[in-house]
């Protein structure tokens, strides 16, 4: 059956129509995006240029920082630019590309967070076998599997949407192209498609979240037998992971695990998992992590002195 498509672009309604609010949001999100880029690049470069890269936890953290940059960059630059214009348009092809990239990078980030939880489980519950279980080859395979899982998820989402007929209206009540807002403007019955979207996105987020909660519960139970210093160090690391998981998963589950409809609050919740959580990740993982702070001081201080020696 031929797909009916009479529109070549969509109009994003954005976060607000008030010029004052739009200007405030422009300054706020520009600051957030710059902070996110600087913070994650600092972590990424510090890990890559230090011995921490060979430790599984920091190997996964470097990939998480990469995902934060890619994931947020698929949404935020467009949002910031749209806050300065009256008509926020996006072509059909760019809209589909945004759906693909958001779900690909977002689901890959979810799988990497799961890998980090598994790494902490092995380190705390099976310390004698840690280097055997989490060797370099297996860590590489885990990251590859995370990318593959993200690709499978995103292409399945895109396949559900791109087959729908869009013949008007073309206004999307959101600040980026996502599956549920697009279902609302399709000119056909989208109930079955909406159920499939929930089964895909909602269940991926929920199952992964349950796995993470169970793994951290096992870790906390195991810590009873550790020394006070061991418990303090493990809880510091796990506390950072749990904070990131809650910031990312709680709003995502609210948006995707419910009947296929949209609410005005969805845009606010989406800000948490597209901008806020990725921006806070560098702070969460560095402020309470002595190894990360020491590595950053070493890498950047050495770089500064080498640069100063070169120009002199």
């Amino acid at each position: 059956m031929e797909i009916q498509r009479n529109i070549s672009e969509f109009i994003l309604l954005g976060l607000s129509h008030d010029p004052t609010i739009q200007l405030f949001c422009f300054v706020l999100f520009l600051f957030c995006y710059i902070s996110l880029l600087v913070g994650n690049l600092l972590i990424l470069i510090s890990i890559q240029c230090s011995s921490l890269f060979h430790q599984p936890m920091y190997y996964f953290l470097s990939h998480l920082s990469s995902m934060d940059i890619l994931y947020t960059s698929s949404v935020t630059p467009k949002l910031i630019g749209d806050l300065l214009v009256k008509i926020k348009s996006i072509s059909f092809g760019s809209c589909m590309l945004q759906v693909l990239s958001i779900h690909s990078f977002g689901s890959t980030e979810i799988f990497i967070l799961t890998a980090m939880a598994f790494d902490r489980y092995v380190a705390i519950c099976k310390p004698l076998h840690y280097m055997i279980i989490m060797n370099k080859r297996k860590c590489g395979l885990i990251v590859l599997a995370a990318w593959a899982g993200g690709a499978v998820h995103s292409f399945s989402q895109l396949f559900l949407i791109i087959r729908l007929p869009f013949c008007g209206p073309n206004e999307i009540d959101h600040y980026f192209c996502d599956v549920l807002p697009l279902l609302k403007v399709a000119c056909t019955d989208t109930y079955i498609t909406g159920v499939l979207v929930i089964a895909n996105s909602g269940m991926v987020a929920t199952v992964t979240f349950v796995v993470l909660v169970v793994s951290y519960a096992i870790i906390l139970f195991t810590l009873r037998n550790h020394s006070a210093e061991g418990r303090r160090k493990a809880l510091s690391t796990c506390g950072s992971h749990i904070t990131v998981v809650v910031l990312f998963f709680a709003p995502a589950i609210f948006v995707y695990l419910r009947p296929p409809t949209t609410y005005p609050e969805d845009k606010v919740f989406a800000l948490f998992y597209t901008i806020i959580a990725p921006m806070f990740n560098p702070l969460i993982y560095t402020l309470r992590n002595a190894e990360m702070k020491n590595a950053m001081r070493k890498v950047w201080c050495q770089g500064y002195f080498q640069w100063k020696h070169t120009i002199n």
Side-chain angles (χ1 to χ4, degrees):
M1 184 180 296
E2 185 180 353
I3 299 173
Q4 183 182 1
R5 188 175 299 139
N6 297 334
I7 60 174
S8 59
E9 67 176 14
F10 294 103
I11 304 299
L12 300 170
L13 297 184
L15 294 170
S16 173
H17 297 292
D18 188 326
T20 304
I21 294 176
Q22 289 194 69
L23 181 60
F24 170 77
C25 289
F26 170 80
V27 175
L28 175 63
F29 295 136
L30 181 61
F31 170 78
C32 290
Y33 186 56
I34 293 172
S35 300
L36 181 149
L37 291 178
V38 171
N40 281 290
L41 283 172
L42 280 173
I43 287 182
L44 189 59
I45 295 170
S46 298
I47 293 174
Q48 292 281 344
C49 297
S50 70
S51 59
L52 292 181
F53 184 72
H54 301 290
Q55 298 183 32
M57 183 178 76
Y58 296 102
Y59 174 75
F60 292 134
L61 180 56
S62 67
H63 283 279
L64 181 67
S65 293
S66 300
M67 282 302 102
D68 281 338
I69 293 171
L70 292 171
Y71 179 52
T72 306
S73 295
S74 62
V75 176
T76 310
K78 171 68 176 169
L79 167 63
I80 293 171
D82 283 346
L83 289 168
L84 297 177
V85 298
K86 186 175 182 180
I87 300 177
K88 305 165 179 55
S89 62
I90 183 171
S91 68
F92 182 87
S94 297
C95 185
M96 295 300 109
L97 180 62
Q98 197 172 56
V99 171
L100 182 68
S101 59
I102 287 169
H103 283 273
S104 176
F105 299 138
S107 53
T108 302
E109 180 160 345
I110 286 175
F111 297 138
I112 290 175
L113 285 170
T114 308
M116 294 175 74
F118 177 70
D119 171 75
R120 291 300 85 202
Y121 164 77
V122 176
I124 294 170
C125 300
K126 300 180 182 294
L128 297 178
H129 300 90
Y130 179 70
M131 294 310 299
I132 298 173
I133 297 173
M134 302 302 296
N135 59 52
K136 188 175 181 179
R137 178 176 174 274
K138 288 180 181 176
C139 289
L141 289 174
I142 289 172
V143 171
L144 183 62
W147 274 96
V152 170
H153 167 74
S154 60
F155 276 104
S156 64
Q157 295 289 89
L158 181 65
F159 179 74
L160 290 172
I161 291 299
I162 205 167
R163 295 173 64 251
L164 294 175
F166 294 97
C167 46
N170 67 337
E171 291 186 341
I172 300 175
D173 189 14
H174 216 302
Y175 64 88
F176 66 91
C177 286
D178 201 4
V179 177
L180 294 179
L182 283 167
L183 291 179
K184 197 172 181 180
V185 298
C187 50
T188 187
D189 183 7
T190 59
Y191 178 78
I192 299 299
T193 305
V195 171
L196 292 174
V197 168
I198 292 172
N200 191 329
S201 294
M203 293 309 296
V204 165
T206 305
V207 170
T208 309
F209 182 70
V210 170
V211 169
L212 289 169
V213 169
V214 171
S215 65
Y216 284 120
I218 295 172
I219 290 171
L220 293 174
F221 182 78
T222 305
L223 285 175
R224 297 180 311 154
N225 303 321
H226 286 231
S227 64
E229 179 61 23
R231 283 198 300 269
R232 186 198 63 78
K233 187 175 180 181
L235 286 172
S236 177
T237 304
C238 291
S240 301
H241 292 188
I242 292 170
T243 304
V244 170
V245 165
V246 171
L247 279 174
F248 188 87
F249 277 90
I253 290 174
F254 173 82
V255 170
Y256 290 107
L257 194 67
R258 64 163 197 243
T261 185
T262 58
Y263 298 105
E265 296 82 5
D266 288 355
K267 291 183 278 189
V268 177
F269 280 102
L271 289 173
F272 278 91
Y273 58 81
T274 58
I275 301 174
I276 305 299
M279 181 186 69
F280 279 112
N281 280 358
L283 292 174
I284 292 169
Y285 279 110
T286 55
L287 290 180
R288 300 181 64 185
N289 191 315
E291 284 186 315
M292 192 69 240
K293 287 189 285 188
N294 290 335
M296 292 177 73
R297 288 193 198 100
K298 186 177 179 180
V299 169
W300 294 102
C301 288
Q302 282 184 352
Y304 171 75
F305 286 121
Q306 287 176 359
W307 171 78
K308 191 173 182 181
H309 177 74
T310 301
I311 62 174
N312 289 337

